[in-house]
Amino acid sequence: MGKKIRVGIVGCGGISKGAHMGAYEKLKKRVEVVALCDIIVERAEEARDKRFPSAAVYKDYKDLINDANVDYVDICTPNYLHSIIAVDALNAGKHVLCEKPDAVSVSEALRMQAAANESGKKLMVIRNNRFFGTSAEAKKAIENGDFGQIYAGRCGWIRRRGIPGKGGWFTTKAQSGGGPLIDLGVHMLDLAIWLMGNPTPVSVSGNTFCKFADCDVMDSPEAKFGDKNENGTFDVEDLGMGLIRFDNGAVLQLECSWASNIKEEHRFVELRGEKAGLSWINGKAEIYYEENNKQIDKKVKAKPTPDAHKENISHFLDVLEGADPIFVPQQGVDMIKILCAMYESAKTGKEVQL
Ligand SMILES: NC(=O)c1ccc[n+]([C@@H]2O[C@H](COP(=O)([O-])OP(=O)(O)OC[C@H]3O[C@@H](n4cnc5c(N)ncnc54)[C@H](O)[C@@H]3O)[C@@H](O)[C@H]2O)c1
């Protein structure tokens, strides 16, 4: 085995501690955490003291990206910092793995893509839902032609009550880019569009609502992210719905909520093909089709995926070692175009052409 790849993590909060650091511990034969950074420097120090004793600790991310020991930077900060840190890191000659969403505006997503092209360094944004075994098996079946043309779909992530970090950066538009559409939508839109074969979006319409800003009930185990601030801002939606049209004629509905009066939280992708349909719910998938005039419901069998983040990070390490990437920055640009257009459509009441 060759030399270990060396990573510096920027942001030592919820997802960093809850998913990335654990993945690096599991992947320690291939990758070493050599640097940690957080503006609340005690968080980086705690991670060093408890998990990565030889890592350097920084308060300013610029010091981390200029650390000669770092091969790639893993960005786990609030959304508005993704593009700023990614572009700086790429320009400093580092590869970049970045948490979702790619960026909070189209111009920023384009800047990230350009910096990756110009530096020749790898840029990958986390797409953990692609790494469920069922997602990979469904993708194989679609590529095998089992579904025929996929012409329509629905996807989303809807919570009954689960607003993350109320009053903090998650609910502050300038720092998050928006509410559940950008926070959760990015996950399920990505899975749906990837399974559909990455058609190019051509128009978007949508609407957003905010009805639960004063509600403190929480039933979602998935929403315990971000620091709260009782006197903070809440200027984002708690429900968003929209429709995307693609260049191949297909359409996709999107629905995301942090809070809405539904039975229970679930995330889903449902695709309709000429020959078969797919339902993917919370990582479990089924295929529906007809055979000899009989309706068949077939479970998608796959090996369990206890840690999709680990699989995503492991794939990024493969890419650094020369493998073809599952994700390319253009998919991030298209994603942010869709989400920003949905917010624009919600404001104007009109469909937005991309
Ligand atoms: N893929 C997933 O399933 C998933 C799940 C949750 C969160 N996320 C994403 O991960 C990112 C972080 O979310 P989180 O829930 O961990 O938030 P968080 O607020 O818990 O953690 C963010 C950390 O970044 C630090 N930080 C802020 N500004 C910084 C700066 N300039 N330099 C260095 N550190 C800085 C904060 O002090 C904090 O510790 C977000 O973009 C979020 O969308 C992804």
Side-chain angles (χ1 to χ4, degrees):
M1 172 159 308
K3 264 176 60 182
K4 279 190 199 178
I5 298 170
R6 300 163 304 174
V7 57
I9 305 175
V10 182
C12 299
I15 198 64
S16 183
K17 285 205 298 197
H20 292 240
M21 292 183 193
Y24 290 125
E25 286 167 334
K26 290 179 199 157
L27 293 165
K28 66 182 179 199
K29 287 195 179 141
R30 299 182 69 193
V31 58
E32 183 182 356
V33 177
V34 294
L36 295 156
C37 167
D38 200 294
I39 40 162
I40 302 174
V41 75
E42 295 77 21
R43 292 185 177 171
E45 287 169 348
E46 185 188 324
R48 176 198 58 200
D49 295 346
K50 292 195 175 153
R51 309 175 85 158
F52 307 108
S54 54
V57 162
Y58 299 109
K59 188 170 179 176
D60 185 336
Y61 78 85
K62 290 195 172 150
D63 292 328
L64 181 142
I65 65 179
N66 288 317
D67 182 333
N69 284 324
V70 171
D71 295 318
Y72 79 91
V73 178
D74 181 354
I75 303 171
C76 296
T77 59
N79 302 351
Y80 73 105
L81 292 166
H82 292 180
S83 68
I84 297 169
I85 300 173
V87 168
D88 282 352
L90 290 161
N91 288 342
K94 308 294 187 195
H95 304 290
V96 169
L97 178 68
C98 182
E99 259 303 344
K100 48 56 58 171
D102 312 62
V104 296
S105 72
V106 176
S107 58
E108 289 180 2
L110 287 167
R111 268 202 294 279
M112 288 165 85
Q113 183 186 41
N117 286 341
E118 282 155 25
S119 64
K121 297 290 161 186
K122 308 285 184 206
L123 166 65
M124 181 171 290
V125 180
I126 289 281
R127 295 292 195 251
N128 44 308
N129 287 282
R130 292 189 193 184
F131 288 88
F132 278 88
T134 46
S135 307
E137 290 303 321
K139 178 80 174 160
K140 260 191 240 163
I142 290 168
E143 286 180 346
N144 194 38
D146 297 1
F147 287 71
Q149 193 213 344
I150 294 177
Y151 55 91
R154 299 170 57 232
C155 68
W157 187 330
I158 44 177
R159 285 190 186 145
R160 186 158 175 167
R161 297 289 185 273
I163 301 171
K166 230 176 116 184
W169 71 262
F170 268 103
T171 61
T172 304
K173 175 113 178 146
Q175 297 186 340
S176 58
L181 274 182
I182 195 160
D183 178 40
L184 306 176
V186 89
H187 284 291
M188 293 301 117
L189 256 187
D190 176 71
L191 183 57
I193 294 173
W194 176 66
L195 289 170
M196 291 165 85
N198 296 308
T200 302
V202 292
S203 69
V204 170
S205 63
N207 212 348
T208 58
F209 305 87
C210 184
K211 307 285 183 191
F212 293 89
D214 294 328
C215 170
D216 284 313
V217 179
M218 161 81 83
D219 70 0
S220 170
E222 304 264 4
K224 294 183 178 124
F225 288 99
D227 298 330
K228 291 187 181 159
N229 179 354
E230 262 183 39
N231 304 311
T233 304
F234 198 130
D235 62 357
V236 296
E237 80 282 3
D238 56 31
L239 170 71
M241 287 191 179
L243 180 83
I244 304 140
R245 295 173 194 273
F246 294 92
D247 60 346
N248 63 356
V251 294
L252 181 63
Q253 293 174 18
L254 172 69
E255 183 181 340
C256 297
S257 69
W258 279 341
S260 55
N261 288 323
I262 56 161
K263 184 166 164 58
E264 62 191 1
E265 174 167 12
H266 59 285
R267 56 192 205 280
F268 66 96
V269 170
E270 217 182 80
L271 298 179
R272 317 274 163 80
E274 292 164 321
K275 294 196 217 162
L278 173 79
S279 144
W280 185 107
I281 303 176
N282 297 334
K284 296 203 167 114
E286 282 188 346
I287 299 177
Y288 310 113
Y289 56 100
E290 270 182 30
E291 208 169 62
N292 303 326
N293 293 327
K294 276 205 183 123
Q295 292 182 338
I296 314 277
D297 299 3
K298 191 169 95 181
K299 277 207 169 56
V300 175
K301 288 195 195 124
K303 68 173 168 52
T305 314
D307 189 344
H309 260 88
K310 188 202 112 192
E311 302 303 328
N312 197 155
I313 290 173
S314 178
H315 169 67
F316 184 64
L317 299 176
D318 294 342
V319 169
L320 295 184
E321 290 170 348
D324 285 339
I326 195 174
F327 166 90
V328 293
Q330 183 60 44
Q331 292 161 7
V333 171
D334 287 346
M335 168 68 67
I336 300 304
K337 273 189 188 168
I338 291 171
L339 292 167
C340 291
M342 218 164 265
Y343 286 122
E344 193 188 328
S345 171
K347 232 191 262 170
T348 61
K350 296 194 173 124
E351 186 172 48
V352 176
Q353 306 299 316
L354 298 178

